[in-house]
Amino acid sequence: MVSSSNVIVRPARGVHGVVRIPGDKSISHRYAMLAAIAEGTSRFHNFSAARDCASTLDCVTKLGCEWTHSKDDEAIEVRGVGPRLRTPAEVLDCGNSGSTMRMLSGILAGQPFTSQLCGDESLSRRPMARIMTPLSEMGARIESTDGGRPPLKIHGGPLKAIHYKPEVASAQVKSCVLFAGLFAPGETVVEESIRTRDHGEIALRAFGAEVERKGNASCIVGGQRLRAIEAHVPGDLSSAAFFLCAAALFPGSQITLPGILMNPTRARLLDILLQMGLKVSVARLEEHHGELIGTIEARGAVWKGAVISGADTAALIDEIPVLAAVAPCSEDGLEVRDAKELRVKESDRITAIATNLRKMGAEVEERPDGMRIPGGQHLHGADLDSFGDHRIAMAFAVAALRAEGDTTIHGADAAGVSYPTFFAELESVVGR
């Protein structure tokens, strides 16, 4: 490492060891938000240390909640204030976290006050119309700038139940509307064309709410009160993907990842990795507050290729960057379709992936909604840009392990958005 923001990654010969992955970001966000409007003090073990989740905790603090680190272990405690939050005295800064802004907006829409949410430069470019539309239908009034982009001003108040069909498959939108549904008399329904992550529904049930599943629709009745819980947050499978792909690069490599989230709406990643040749097994499966947790053991073998499209694209949207970054080293390469959503993440991830791979000497065909990356290619070390995007920084650290020569990743501190200790953990299992 040459500075806090630039990291040098050197070629490796293999990956071996045990990595304890930090708590899942998606679940940590939802637990913190629901704990804020629950009655009592919730306690969370392995809560994500990501900067994004720190933004959520900061926001709920400004809304009248208190959170502290437990004195006797590494848990955090969040003191809920019930369904009525405190009028914030200042703007709620969501940092880089689209999850914070989109899902918290659902709760704020049902509050009897006006609140403002802002974010950093990257978040200020991300689309928020996808939550503004349903929340406006429910009765909230939301102001934005530049055609539905942050900052947002939410004039909350009485809401009405709706039956909503999102145009974009998004678990964040679904959770936003269901959270708002807690404050709307009657039944609020979110009907999806493609099933997305169900962490919002599972978390609501853990806090005592009744949420019904009817086909591709999730339904909640307003007026339910939440109660505090104690829970262990499973290891983040999206973060585990970086280590699984690192093992896949080297036949004979072996990695063990204890306590990882095995939610069926997330575990499609393991199916794809198996298809691509990684040897994967899952042991010690158990359930915690509705979420499955298990230990993943993976061994590198022949690394093949894959086509990711349709529902798989929606299921793997966070894992595509690392799958694409290592695709040149596979036998058959990777084709990604139906992934226009990648262009409106923390960066335009399609362009970011293509740009960095080309700098490493790889051939890439960039498409409006995806990419094609041939296999059987050789990478060389290069100066790469994270584009201020945590997943791009980590994905290319993994790809650099198979490059000839050193790779410098500029802006590598972006990894702290989701995984502050990533580079140290990766170095701990790399053999040279």
Side-chain angles (χ1 to χ4, degrees):
M1 178 178 291
V2 296
S3 77
S4 62
S5 60
N6 298 338
V7 168
I8 296 174
V9 182
R10 296 182 170 87
R13 291 182 298 173
V15 175
H16 294 84
V18 178
V19 180
R20 296 193 177 276
I21 302 294
D24 184 80
K25 270 202 335 169
S26 297
I27 294 174
S28 295
H29 280 302
R30 289 164 171 84
Y31 276 0
M33 292 178 198
L34 294 179
I37 57 172
E39 297 171 348
T41 298
S42 293
R43 182 179 171 90
F44 305 123
H45 303 268
N46 200 38
F47 189 88
S48 173
R51 285 203 297 266
D52 275 3
C53 294
S55 293
T56 290
L57 289 172
D58 181 61
C59 287
V60 300
T61 299
K62 291 175 180 175
L63 291 163
C65 300
E66 293 179 0
W67 76 272
T68 58
H69 285 286
S70 174
K71 295 179 180 178
D72 55 352
D73 57 25
E74 295 182 356
I76 72 162
E77 296 178 347
V78 180
R79 182 184 63 80
V81 295
R84 173 73 183 268
L85 296 170
R86 184 183 69 195
T87 304
E90 56 187 299
V91 174
L92 303 173
D93 188 352
C94 301
N96 188 249
S97 179
S99 297
T100 303
M101 184 170 286
R102 290 188 179 122
M103 294 190 291
L104 188 58
S105 292
I107 293 173
L108 294 174
Q111 300 297 314
F113 53 71
T114 295
S115 52
Q116 297 184 65
L117 299 94
C118 69
D120 65 11
E121 183 180 355
S122 171
L123 181 55
S124 297
R125 295 193 298 266
R126 298 180 69 180
M128 293 296 149
R130 59 187 60 177
I131 59 150
M132 293 170 63
T133 297
L135 294 180
S136 296
E137 288 183 18
M138 297 180 80
R141 185 165 63 88
I142 306 177
E143 301 175 40
S144 69
T145 59
D146 191 25
R149 286 179 168 75
L152 302 181
K153 179 180 283 189
I154 300 176
H155 303 275
L159 301 179
K160 64 180 180 181
I162 62 170
H163 187 130
Y164 188 65
K165 298 180 180 181
E167 292 184 5
V168 177
S170 168
Q172 293 175 9
V173 173
K174 177 172 60 174
S175 290
C176 168
V177 177
L178 292 175
F179 290 179
L182 284 171
F183 303 93
E187 184 180 63
T188 293
V189 180
V190 182
E191 185 177 348
E192 302 178 291
S193 57
I194 297 173
R195 188 181 182 190
T196 62
R197 300 176 182 185
D198 59 359
H199 302 308
E201 296 96 307
I202 291 174
L204 282 163
R205 293 189 191 105
F207 280 86
E210 292 185 10
V211 183
E212 191 174 356
R213 183 84 187 175
K214 301 176 182 177
N216 272 0
S218 297
C219 318
I220 191 166
V221 173
Q224 301 185 66
R225 298 182 75 88
L226 307 183
R227 61 177 182 269
I229 64 170
E230 179 168 0
H232 179 91
V233 181
D236 191 329
L237 183 57
S238 295
S239 295
F242 298 103
F243 295 92
L244 295 172
C245 285
L249 287 174
F250 303 97
S253 285
Q254 188 165 356
I255 199 84
T256 300
L257 308 173
I260 301 297
L261 176 69
M262 289 286 110
N263 183 300
T265 64
R266 296 280 292 280
R268 180 60 177 156
L269 170 67
L270 300 183
D271 297 331
I272 294 294
L273 291 173
L274 281 165
Q275 291 175 21
M276 297 180 75
L278 186 67
K279 305 298 182 183
V280 179
S281 62
V282 179
R284 293 183 284 281
L285 267 177
E286 52 189 48
E287 184 177 309
H288 289 232
H289 285 289
E291 294 282 9
L292 283 176
I293 300 176
T295 294
I296 300 176
E297 297 180 352
R299 291 183 291 110
V302 177
W303 188 228
K304 302 172 186 175
V307 175
I308 299 174
S309 63
D312 281 346
T313 299
L316 297 169
I317 200 71
D318 286 339
E319 293 79 37
I320 287 173
V322 67
L323 292 169
V326 301
C329 305
S330 66
E331 286 190 344
D332 306 315
L334 179 74
E335 184 172 353
V336 178
R337 305 171 185 159
D338 309 312
K340 191 178 294 184
E341 181 71 7
L342 286 174
R343 293 204 180 273
V344 292
K345 291 292 188 178
E346 285 84 337
S347 67
D348 179 337
R349 286 180 175 164
I350 293 174
T351 293
I353 291 165
T355 299
N356 279 345
L357 282 178
R358 287 173 183 140
K359 287 182 178 180
M360 300 180 82
E363 175 188 341
V364 183
E365 180 188 342
E366 184 178 345
R367 298 170 178 171
D369 69 341
M371 67 197 87
R372 188 182 70 83
I373 305 168
Q377 303 189 69
H378 296 281
L379 302 178
H380 60 70
D383 279 358
L384 306 181
D385 192 343
S386 74
F387 294 86
D389 189 325
H390 58 123
R391 298 201 190 279
I392 297 299
M394 294 186 284
F396 281 92
V398 175
L401 298 177
R402 272 289 298 268
E404 296 178 4
D406 294 352
T407 295
T408 300
I409 300 175
H410 297 272
D413 54 349
V417 164
S418 62
Y419 200 158
T421 60
F422 170 76
F423 288 99
E425 295 280 10
L426 185 64
E427 186 65 22
S428 74
V429 295
V430 166
R432 293 190 169 90

